[in-house]
Amino acid sequence: MKTLATASKLALLGGTPVRNTPFPPYPNIGDEEKKAVMEVLDSGHISSFSASRQGFLGGERVQAFESAFAAYHSMAYGVAFNSATSGLHAAIAACGAGPGDEVIVPPYTFTATATAVLHHNAIPVFADIDPVTFCLDPRSFEAAITPRTKAVIPVHLLGHPAEMDQIMAIARRHKLKVIEDCAQAPGATYKGRLVGTMGDCAVFSFQESKNMMTGEGGMLISNDPELVEQSRMVRNHGETVIAGEARKYLAQTIGWNYRMTEIEAAIGLVQLRKLNGLNAHRQELARYLLDRLPTVPGLRYPAAQDQCTHVYNVFGMTYDERQIGISRQRFIQALMAEGIPVGSGYPRPLYHNPLFQERMAYGKQGCPFTCHLYQGTVSYAKGLCPVAEDLCAQSALWTFVVRPPATTADMDDIIHAFEKVIEAIPEIKEQDHATIVS
Ligand SMILES: Cc1ncc(COP(=O)(O)O)c(C=O)c1O
């Protein structure tokens, strides 16, 4: 291990921080994205969703982005949305999940993975995650299946693929639909297959913190033409338009306005071309860190599992207070004082939110949990998913700054700060003890 630490005084205890400047801003918007946006503005057409069959399918760039994104994944169809949240909602609807049905989701993910289920009045059932990948644990998933289960949403969390072979085998055995939530992992692979190509459909996010971004935006991909047509209706007021016929304002189902604009699609086309390079940049920075961060019992750094590639949307670590000797909060404070942005990740498993604890999604009567069509007894009890609860309460440690345009010089600051803080743990403990005693 190369040692960068200088045994200088911790910034937390009044010393000089490793770093005084912020990490480079993200996202990195290039001339290509700017030019693409200007071309849309100059064209005078910012949406182009309209009454004709062609317009029902979106503007020129929306359709080009859908085709290019589907082709990148060697899938038949792409359907662009204004967010992954709306794409997930459309996926739930298109998979036929609704009132009375249950959909299994992990609790260690962004809120939308579970609330998209509620958006269609189905009930999210939480299954625990794997402590190493932070993705859905296949055994916990299988144990959560009931006669009411309609679908499962494995999330490829922080950039690492979920254990898809086992998840797919269980889902097929129980005739469940599989919606991959790929918001945090575009371009990651599992046994040589891109995430998003293994389930019945998959949803991606292009919100601005993601590995490829359009500001806001989402995409559903699938090989199933019926599922795709249903999701297009959800995107566009439940209407279908028949080729060659005038629009009839004929709503076939409940729909929303989940449409992407030409501006986002134009940025998306550029970002998609850059995606492999952007991911490679993240992987190089991660490799640099993994080769140099101090090896200490109680700190585990992210690693791609066998036959998987990791695209590091977040550099997610685990922290064991008993082995390290100071609390996670104190360790974070010490790193932050050195100028390194780290945090504890998701603050609670999703089912600890009042939304689930008090079962209040719509109105004041507990809908949809109290819906008479729902015959199940879903539990949101504390202790339901111990691995996720432990990560939230005490062991996850995240940093977002392992991403372009950061350089290895930026990574050196992270390494230096980790070494400095780890070396000074006895001193922090002493200081904390003195504070308690006085
Ligand atoms: C795992 C996951 N799913 C869904 C979403 C929702 O994405 P969007 O913000 O595009 O609606 C996010 C966004 O952070 C996410 O991380």
Side-chain angles (χ1 to χ4, degrees), residues 376-426:
T377 53
V378 66
S379 168
Y380 299 131
K382 301 210 167 152
L384 181 68
C385 298
V387 178
E389 292 192 14
D390 177 72
L391 274 175
C392 297
Q394 55 200 358
S395 58
L397 191 64
W398 289 12
T399 181
F400 280 89
V401 294
V402 185
R403 62 187 175 192
T407 63
T408 52
D410 295 309
M411 299 302 105
D412 281 339
D413 287 341
I414 299 177
I415 296 158
H416 186 176
F418 267 74
E419 289 184 349
K420 195 175 162 191
V421 170
I422 287 165
E423 267 179 33
I425 281 171

Side-chain angles (χ1 to χ4, degrees), residues 326-397:
I326 59 170
S327 72
R328 174 179 65 170
Q329 201 42 37
R330 205 74 179 118
F331 191 76
I332 290 172
Q333 277 171 1
L335 286 169
M336 295 284 280
E338 298 298 338
I340 308 301
V342 289
S344 48
Y346 295 125
R348 66 190 77 81
L350 291 180
Y351 56 87
H352 281 190
N353 282 292
L355 165 64
F356 295 103
Q357 289 297 305
E358 293 162 28
R359 302 190 185 218
M360 288 290 175
Y362 304 105
K364 298 207 178 338
Q365 292 174 45
C367 298
F369 305 100
T370 50
C371 172
H372 72 280
L373 296 173
Y374 181 57
Q375 303 287 309
T377 53
V378 66
S379 168
Y380 299 131
K382 301 210 167 152
L384 181 68
C385 298
V387 178
E389 292 192 14
D390 177 72
L391 274 175
C392 297
Q394 55 200 358
S395 58
L397 191 64

Side-chain angles (χ1 to χ4, degrees), residues 83-86 88 109-110 112-113 155 157 181 183-184 205-207 210 216-217 346:
S83 68
T85 305
S86 51
L88 282 166
T109 173
F110 181 66
T113 310
V155 182
L157 202 83
D181 182 338
Q184 300 181 7
S205 170
F206 309 128
Q207 178 272 338
K210 301 302 189 288
E216 300 288 352
Y346 295 125

Side-chain angles (χ1 to χ4, degrees), residues 35 95 110 127 139 141 150 164 177 184 195 204 208 229 241 294 300 319 330 336 346 360-361 387 408 414 421 432:
K35 184 167 170 280
C95 284
F110 181 66
R139 277 164 310 169
F141 156 45
K150 192 85 182 178
M164 286 308 290
K177 294 283 186 189
Q184 300 181 7
V195 301
F204 293 79
E208 78 174 5
E229 193 61 13
V241 177
R300 189 162 46 76
Y319 182 89
R330 205 74 179 118
M336 295 284 280
Y346 295 125
M360 288 290 175
V387 178
T408 52
I414 299 177
V421 170
D432 291 353

Side-chain angles (χ1 to χ4, degrees), residues 256-377:
W256 285 259
N257 175 354
Y258 285 163
R259 303 183 302 240
M260 178 181 271
T261 71
E262 288 286 274
I263 295 177
E264 289 138 3
I267 299 173
L269 280 163
V270 176
Q271 285 270 305
L272 179 61
R273 288 197 290 275
K274 294 184 177 179
L275 177 61
N276 289 347
L278 292 169
N279 280 341
H281 192 135
R282 284 177 188 264
Q283 288 163 336
E284 274 159 33
L285 295 179
R287 206 169 305 123
Y288 188 86
L289 282 180
L290 293 170
D291 286 346
R292 291 165 180 80
L293 279 168
T295 311
V296 274
L299 253 189
R300 189 162 46 76
Y301 303 118
Q305 297 303 293
D306 193 30
Q307 301 186 69
C308 291
T309 58
H310 198 319
V311 293
Y312 300 98
N313 179 249
V314 176
F315 192 82
M317 301 158 269
T318 54
Y319 182 89
D320 184 343
E321 172 179 338
R322 280 159 309 179
Q323 292 192 67
I324 296 189
I326 59 170
S327 72
R328 174 179 65 170
Q329 201 42 37
R330 205 74 179 118
F331 191 76
I332 290 172
Q333 277 171 1
L335 286 169
M336 295 284 280
E338 298 298 338
I340 308 301
V342 289
S344 48
Y346 295 125
R348 66 190 77 81
L350 291 180
Y351 56 87
H352 281 190
N353 282 292
L355 165 64
F356 295 103
Q357 289 297 305
E358 293 162 28
R359 302 190 185 218
M360 288 290 175
Y362 304 105
K364 298 207 178 338
Q365 292 174 45
C367 298
F369 305 100
T370 50
C371 172
H372 72 280
L373 296 173
Y374 181 57
Q375 303 287 309
T377 53

